[in-house]
């Protein structure tokens, strides 16, 4: 690959802490404000001020002065709270240079935006004052964290107990009805799909669709105004920001953390010739990865890739994180296509990239949860397990193995009368994925998930063999083709109660595995009620009842919710299920879980049985080595064949009783279940799990 051209103003990312980048954007003072903008190659920069009631009427144009390091600055009384502005930039022509002094551009550091027309943006000066009333971040320890991935609009758009004026809004998400839902479910953090200002691609608009998920950022500081209430939108950008902060404050007061899904890897400007709103006009050569001839190097699949090998864009990302973590009190971030941020001047990923390290080492971000989506579509883009200390990562290996074990392996066994693999790989994922994450990082480096916004919902995972995406306008080409799903005998809707019962049990097995595994579990909103998207595994472009959560449920859906709530409670009450560190064979490790494995006869698992494809039953015993909690030991039985089996409980030193806690075979949890003595026989139905506390 071509390397990035650097010069005296195009500093490498190692210089992202340079004071030259301090105080970019607007800073208010007694007599107006100062705007500082970075453009390494510009020859002239102008501030454009608009009329307060007509955002197409320019009232003033003020030149900025070059002050060194590629920074341009101006101080003017025109920059006050409520002012709307843009910048215009001129510069040299040549490969990769796309300056146009007539284009009105967004200030990358703008805290608010207004949109006077489709595809037209104005930066807004906002009032950042807010009374937090003494409410502080919950600071939930990572081992006690249960993440709930949700869409701001879709979560409350149809909630009957949320006032209509709050449907689909930031304020609606923090309504008491939602807080009650989070508490009953047992989640500790809400991870929101993108709330940075975003827009829909012209292609989608032409099809009558929208970018519903929001992975198409316009700016990295301004919140997405369309998620605010109509009243806040009418009042302006300052009111939108206050509503976001109000949401965070109310959730924090209820003990719920807020994690943002952030998209710093690309912007809505797409490829060359597509919309121009900010970076491309400010300094295309500096902000985007490209070859020497100016063609883009696209490692995101979205038309462009932000060039974090350069100090200016890298510092922009870091400053955005600082702003959201401190001014808006956000508790954590999930980084979309995170390897893109860690690519150097040769476009190769490194976990020691200055930005990747700065994100977890910056004192201003201390205690903030950092979660990587550890893949992009560039060369060497799959980096699961390779993000280093301080990072947690979405564990796609966990997702794939768990889906295989409970779904595609069962499908295979029905047709071939045997399963393709045994239980060893599944057990490794259950115990924290030590084959993926180093001992230094431990099991909490793994964010475990079975479903996410991208892909089948839990219900669709057990109901469809193939995707059904024709409504996306791409003739079914979009969305993953390999889903490791299983429809259990009928594609989609069916009235066959045998199939429906098997699907319900499969969902309980998947949820049970997720919430009883070592690591940090992430539940996708709606899976607790078995939400369906009718087989669409890429519903990013549907802002409709297809993607909005339904709050009208049948009895079996309420039963599934009860299972999730019970599982999160059991996870909370049994520290052996949530170790902080991996155990060591030769020494005691504090806050680990010492694990022993037994077969269905109660005997220690043999090496041969780990790899025997016909052997799909294990007993997982985890004993905590506590630092701050009482000692705890659990036994989890996993049976991965459709034929029932009798299991002999192991005789363990110091154990006289196995207390029944949970079974995936039950349609609803909470029934009376017998306790068992060591050596007793437990009848396990086909494809089921059962949890005990050993005392």
């Amino acid at each position: 690959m071509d390397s990035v051209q650097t010069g005296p103003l195009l500093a490498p990312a190692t210089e992202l802490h340079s004071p030259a980048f301090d105080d970019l954007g607007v800073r208010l003072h007694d007599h107006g404000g100062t705007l500082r903008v970075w453009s390494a190659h510009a020859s002239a920069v102008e501030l454009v001020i608009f009329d307060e009631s007509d955002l197409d009427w320019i009232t003033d144009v003020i030149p900025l002065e070059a002050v060194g390091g590629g920074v341009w600055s101006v101080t003017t009384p025109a920059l006050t709270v409520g002012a709307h502005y843009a910048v215009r930039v001129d510069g040299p022509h040549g490969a990769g240079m796309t300056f146009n002094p007539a284009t009105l551009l967004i200030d990358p550091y703008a805290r608010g935006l207004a949109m006077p027309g489709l595809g037209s943006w104005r930066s807004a000066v906002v009032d950042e004052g807010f009374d937090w009333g003494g409410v502080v971040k919950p600071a939930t320890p990572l081992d006690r964290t249960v993440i709930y991935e949700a869409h701001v609009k879709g979560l409350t758009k149809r909630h009957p107990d949320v006032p209509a004026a709050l449907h689909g809004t930031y304020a609606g998400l923090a309504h008491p009805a939602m807080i009650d839902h989070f508490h009953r479910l047992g989640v500790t953090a809400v991870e929101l799909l993108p709330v940075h200002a975003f827009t829909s691609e012209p292609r989608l608009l032409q099809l009558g669709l929208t970018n519903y998920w929001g992975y198409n950022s316009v700016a990295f500081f301004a919140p997405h105004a369309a998620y605010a209430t109509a009243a806040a939108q009418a009042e302006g950008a300052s009111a939108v920001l206050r509503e976001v902060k109000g949401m965070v404050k109310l959730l924090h007061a209820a003990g719920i953390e807020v994690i943002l899904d952030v998209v710093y890897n690309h912007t809505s400007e797409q490829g060359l010739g597509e919309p121009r709103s900010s970076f491309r006009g400010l300094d295309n050569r500096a902000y985007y990865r490209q070859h020497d001839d100016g063609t883009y190097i696209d490692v995101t699949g979205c038309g462009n890739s932000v060039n974090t090998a350069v100090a200016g864009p890298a510092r922009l990302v870091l400053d955005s994180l600082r702003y959201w973590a401190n001014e808006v009190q956000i508790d954590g971030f999930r980084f979309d296509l995170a390897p893109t941020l860690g690519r150097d001047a040769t476009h190769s990923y490194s976990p020691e990239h200055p930005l990747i390290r700065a994100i977890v080492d910056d004192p201003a971000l201390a205690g903030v949860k950092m979660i990587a989506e550890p893949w992009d579509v560039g060369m060497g883009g799959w980096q699961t397990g390779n993000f280093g200390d301080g990072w947690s990562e979405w564990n796609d290996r966990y997702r794939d193995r768990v889906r295989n074990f409970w779904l595609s392996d069962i499908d295979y066994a029905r047709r071939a009368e045997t399963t393709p693999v045994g239980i060893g790989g599944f057990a490794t994922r259950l115990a924290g994925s030590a084959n993926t994450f180093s001992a230094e990082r431990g099991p909490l480096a793994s964010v475990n998930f079975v479903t996410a916004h991208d892909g089948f919902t839990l219900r669709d995972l057990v109901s469809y063999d193939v995707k059904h995406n024709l409504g996306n306008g791409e003739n079914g080409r979009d969305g993953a083709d390999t889903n490791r799903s299983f429809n259990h005998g009928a594609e989609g809707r069916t009235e066959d109660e045998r199939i429906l019962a098997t699907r319900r049990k499969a969902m309980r097995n998947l949820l049970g595995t997720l919430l009883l595994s070592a690591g940090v579990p992430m539940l996708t909103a709606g899976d607790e009620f078995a939400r369906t998207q009718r087989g669409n595994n890429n519903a990013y472009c549907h802002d409709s009842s297809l993607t909005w959560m339904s709050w009208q449920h049948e009895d079996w859906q309420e039963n599934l919710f009860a299972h999730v709530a019970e599982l999160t409670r059991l996870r909370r009450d049994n520290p052996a299920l949530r170790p902080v560190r991996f155990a060591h064979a030769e020494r005691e490790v504090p806050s680990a879980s010492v694990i022993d494995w037994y077969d269905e006869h109660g005997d220690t698992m043999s090496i041969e049985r780990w790899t025997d494809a016909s052997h799909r039953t294990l007993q997982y015993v985890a004993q905590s080595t506590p630092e701050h909690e009482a000692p705890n030991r659990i036994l989890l039985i996993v049976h991965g064949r459709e034929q029932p089996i009798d299991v002999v409980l192991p005789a363990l030193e110091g154990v006289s009783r196995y207390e029944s806690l949970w079974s995936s075979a039950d349609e609803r949890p909470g029934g009376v279940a017998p306790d068992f003595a060591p050596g007793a026989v437990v009848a396990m139905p086909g494809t089921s799990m059962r949890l005990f506390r050993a005392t």
Side-chain angles (χ1 to χ4, degrees):
M1 288 183 178
D2 301 326
S3 62
V4 172
Q5 293 180 344
T6 59
L9 296 182
L10 202 51
T14 50
E15 299 182 21
L16 65 86
H17 293 293
S18 169
F21 300 109
D22 290 350
D23 296 326
L24 293 175
V26 172
R27 293 294 184 271
L28 297 176
H29 43 74
D30 290 342
H31 304 290
T34 297
L35 170 66
R36 284 164 51 86
V37 177
W38 181 78
S39 175
H41 296 103
S43 60
V45 180
E46 294 178 327
L47 167 64
V48 179
I49 302 293
F50 298 92
D51 180 78
E52 63 179 22
S53 59
D54 184 350
L55 297 185
D56 289 320
W57 180 9
I58 296 174
T59 60
D60 204 356
V61 177
I62 309 167
L64 277 70
E65 178 185 356
V67 295
V71 175
W72 297 72
S73 179
V74 65
T75 297
T76 171
L79 289 172
T80 58
V81 170
H84 291 90
Y85 68 100
V87 293
R88 296 194 297 213
V89 184
D90 199 2
H93 298 286
M97 302 293 187
T98 58
F99 293 106
N100 184 334
T103 304
L104 297 168
L105 303 169
I106 296 169
D107 167 15
Y109 280 75
R111 270 53 167 172
L113 292 178
M115 190 169 63
L118 185 63
S120 177
W121 300 93
R122 305 290 181 260
S123 302
V125 181
V126 302
D127 178 0
E128 297 186 51
F130 186 78
D131 181 7
W132 289 97
V135 175
V136 298
K137 294 183 178 183
T140 306
L142 203 53
D143 68 298
R144 289 180 170 270
T145 297
V146 179
I147 298 172
Y148 186 72
E149 189 201 36
H151 188 283
V152 171
K153 181 175 183 178
L155 194 59
T156 64
K157 180 64 176 175
R158 298 195 290 178
H159 199 299
D161 297 327
V162 173
L166 305 186
H167 279 170
T169 68
Y170 299 116
L173 194 141
H175 186 272
M178 292 310 307
I179 289 173
D180 178 65
H181 177 71
F182 301 145
H183 284 165
R184 289 191 302 119
L185 190 58
V187 298
T188 68
V190 178
E191 180 177 307
L192 300 178
L193 269 65
V195 301
H196 288 172
F198 66 86
T199 191
S200 295
E201 297 87 336
R203 176 188 62 82
L204 289 178
L205 296 175
Q206 291 170 3
L207 293 170
L209 301 170
T210 63
N211 191 316
Y212 171 69
W213 286 349
Y215 292 88
N216 200 40
S217 300
V218 171
F220 297 154
F221 285 79
H224 190 61
Y227 291 159
T229 57
Q233 292 184 55
E235 189 176 341
S238 294
V240 171
L241 179 59
R242 282 196 301 273
E243 187 172 316
V244 174
K245 291 180 177 180
M247 171 194 73
V248 175
K249 178 181 177 179
L250 289 171
L251 290 172
H252 281 179
I256 304 295
E257 292 188 316
V258 181
I259 298 172
L260 298 186
D261 196 332
V262 286
V263 187
Y264 295 118
N265 58 82
H266 75 282
T267 76
S268 62
E269 292 184 311
Q270 302 178 68
L272 284 169
E274 298 290 341
R276 176 200 306 255
S277 58
S278 187
F279 292 175
R280 184 168 293 135
L282 282 165
D283 195 336
N284 180 66
R285 191 66 183 170
Y287 279 99
Y288 291 123
R289 293 184 179 274
Q290 54 197 273
H291 295 289
D292 289 338
D293 64 0
T295 57
Y296 278 1
I297 296 170
D298 180 11
V299 299
T300 67
C302 300
N304 65 63
S305 304
V306 174
N307 188 6
T308 54
V310 171
R315 177 61 178 268
L316 173 66
V317 172
L318 191 63
D319 284 344
S320 172
L321 293 170
R322 290 167 169 173
Y323 172 76
W324 287 95
N326 296 300
E327 294 300 321
V328 192
Q329 291 288 289
I330 295 302
D331 304 278
F333 301 93
R334 179 267 189 189
F335 294 80
D336 182 64
L337 304 183
T340 300
L341 305 183
R343 291 182 179 272
D344 60 20
T346 69
H347 317 297
S348 300
Y349 170 78
S350 169
E352 297 304 317
H353 186 285
L355 178 58
I356 295 296
R357 291 315 313 162
I359 287 170
V360 291
D361 293 339
D362 191 331
L365 296 172
V368 177
K369 295 176 171 67
M370 302 299 184
I371 303 168
E373 180 187 40
W375 52 80
D376 64 17
V377 300
M379 184 179 297
W382 187 74
Q383 294 291 336
T384 305
N386 197 26
F387 266 77
D389 293 345
W391 285 92
S392 295
E393 302 174 35
W394 273 25
N395 189 348
D396 56 323
R397 289 180 170 181
Y398 177 95
R399 173 200 64 197
D400 293 349
R401 178 62 72 177
V402 171
R403 288 185 179 190
N404 281 347
F405 185 81
W406 291 118
L407 300 175
S408 55
D409 287 359
I410 303 302
D411 179 23
Y412 184 97
R414 284 192 183 183
R415 293 179 283 106
E417 298 185 357
T418 184
T419 49
V421 296
I423 204 165
F426 175 87
T428 300
R429 299 299 163 195
L430 185 70
S433 296
N435 60 345
T436 301
F437 301 100
S438 66
E440 291 74 20
R441 297 180 67 192
L444 299 180
S446 177
V447 174
N448 299 329
F449 67 107
V450 175
T451 66
H453 66 275
D454 187 3
F456 280 143
T457 66
L458 181 71
R459 181 173 176 179
D460 290 354
L461 197 62
V462 303
S463 305
Y464 294 90
D465 279 352
V466 296
K467 65 187 181 183
H468 296 262
N469 293 3
L470 288 178
N472 296 356
E474 297 186 43
N475 296 316
R477 292 187 301 268
D478 66 303
D481 292 316
T482 303
N483 296 283
R484 296 174 168 83
S485 60
F486 179 33
N487 67 20
H488 293 86
E491 187 71 359
R493 290 181 60 86
T494 180
E495 300 301 321
D496 188 318
E497 180 52 38
R498 180 185 58 82
I499 292 175
L500 293 174
T502 305
R503 288 177 178 176
R504 292 194 296 270
K505 180 151 62 76
M507 286 189 282
R508 296 193 293 269
N509 285 329
L510 291 165
L511 290 167
T513 302
L514 174 66
L515 292 167
L516 300 179
S517 292
V520 181
M522 185 187 80
L523 180 71
T524 304
D527 280 353
E528 70 271 32
F529 293 124
R531 183 178 74 88
T532 181
Q533 292 178 168
R534 302 194 294 274
N536 191 320
N537 75 348
N538 190 35
Y540 77 101
C541 54
H542 294 279
D543 185 355
S544 68
S545 60
L546 181 72
T547 51
W548 303 336
M549 272 185 67
S550 171
W551 294 91
Q552 305 299 319
H553 306 123
E554 299 179 23
D555 289 346
W556 69 269
Q557 292 173 295
E558 295 291 348
N559 290 341
L560 187 64
F561 176 93
H563 273 282
V564 177
E566 180 68 2
L567 286 163
T568 59
R569 183 190 69 78
L570 291 169
R571 182 181 185 85
R572 182 175 62 249
D573 293 348
N574 291 276
L577 293 168
R578 42 181 176 82
V580 174
R581 303 177 181 91
F582 290 124
H584 192 280
E586 298 177 358
R587 65 177 186 274
E588 181 173 305
V589 177
S591 294
S593 287
V594 177
I595 297 171
D596 293 298
W597 306 95
Y598 300 91
D599 62 19
E600 66 270 29
H601 305 299
D603 299 327
T604 299
M605 186 80 79
S606 66
I607 297 297
E608 294 75 23
R609 288 215 157 194
W610 280 117
T611 56
D612 183 355
S614 66
H615 183 248
R616 302 269 294 183
T617 307
L618 65 76
Q619 300 190 72
Y620 165 69
V621 176
Q623 181 171 358
S624 68
T625 54
E627 292 178 278
H628 313 294
E629 300 179 81
N632 173 241
R633 180 153 48 175
I634 60 92
L635 165 65
L636 178 66
I637 303 176
V638 177
H639 176 50
R641 297 184 68 87
E642 291 199 288
Q643 296 73 33
I645 193 172
D646 287 338
V647 173
V648 179
L649 301 182
L652 303 178
E653 182 179 350
V655 173
S656 60
R657 180 175 72 112
Y658 289 106
E659 176 189 355
S660 295
L661 299 179
W662 177 79
S663 171
S664 70
D666 296 338
E667 284 287 345
R668 186 176 179 89
V672 177
D675 295 342
F676 294 87
V681 175
V682 174
M684 294 291 293
T687 54
S688 64
M689 305 174 70
R690 189 157 183 176
L691 179 69
F692 301 87
R693 183 183 292 118
T695 59

